[in-house]
Amino acid sequence: MTDDSLEARTRRLHDHLEATAELPIDRQANRWLGEAEAIARDAASHDLEREVVVDRVRKVQRLLSEVDETGHDEADDHLEAAKACCEAILDGDA
């Protein structure tokens, strides 16, 4: 059984974005993903109020919407998974 707490979901979001950091991806995509990863790290690693976490995930979602593909198949998979994580978090907290 998976942990579906907000903390676990934000941790999964961050993990997907962090996984793209070491991959050879498009420079422009890297900028968006790097900023999204930093915000997701903050949301996942601090004892924040639910509203603050949700606000940060919305910011991550907006940043990720700027990236269609990264130029690397594995990074594209992580990107799509991160977008799905954002949707799951925001749908569950809307």
Side-chain angles (χ1 to χ4, degrees):
M1 185 163 150
T2 61
D3 183 358
D4 264 352
S5 68
L6 180 59
E7 180 181 342
R9 290 182 288 159
T10 56
R11 206 172 27 246
R12 282 193 298 270
L13 170 61
H14 174 257
D15 290 347
H16 282 295
L17 294 172
E18 185 178 50
T20 67
E22 298 299 318
L23 300 173
I25 61 175
D26 174 77
R27 192 173 66 120
Q28 186 70 21
N30 192 41
R31 276 188 50 232
W32 294 113
L33 291 173
E35 188 171 345
E37 189 268 331
I39 295 169
R41 180 184 335 110
D42 185 58
S45 64
H46 293 90
D47 187 22
L48 302 172
E49 292 184 22
R50 181 182 259 334
E51 299 81 28
V52 174
V53 171
V54 170
D55 180 58
R56 291 198 169 125
V57 171
R58 280 191 190 105
K59 290 176 184 175
V60 169
Q61 185 179 48
R62 281 192 296 272
L63 291 166
L64 296 181
S65 73
E66 297 293 333
V67 182
D68 292 323
E69 58 184 43
T70 65
H72 189 280
D73 290 341
E74 184 180 346
D76 287 344
D77 291 343
H78 283 295
L79 172 62
E80 290 308 312
K83 287 178 177 181
C85 285
C86 287
E87 285 183 35
I89 291 167
L90 296 175
D91 286 349
D93 291 301

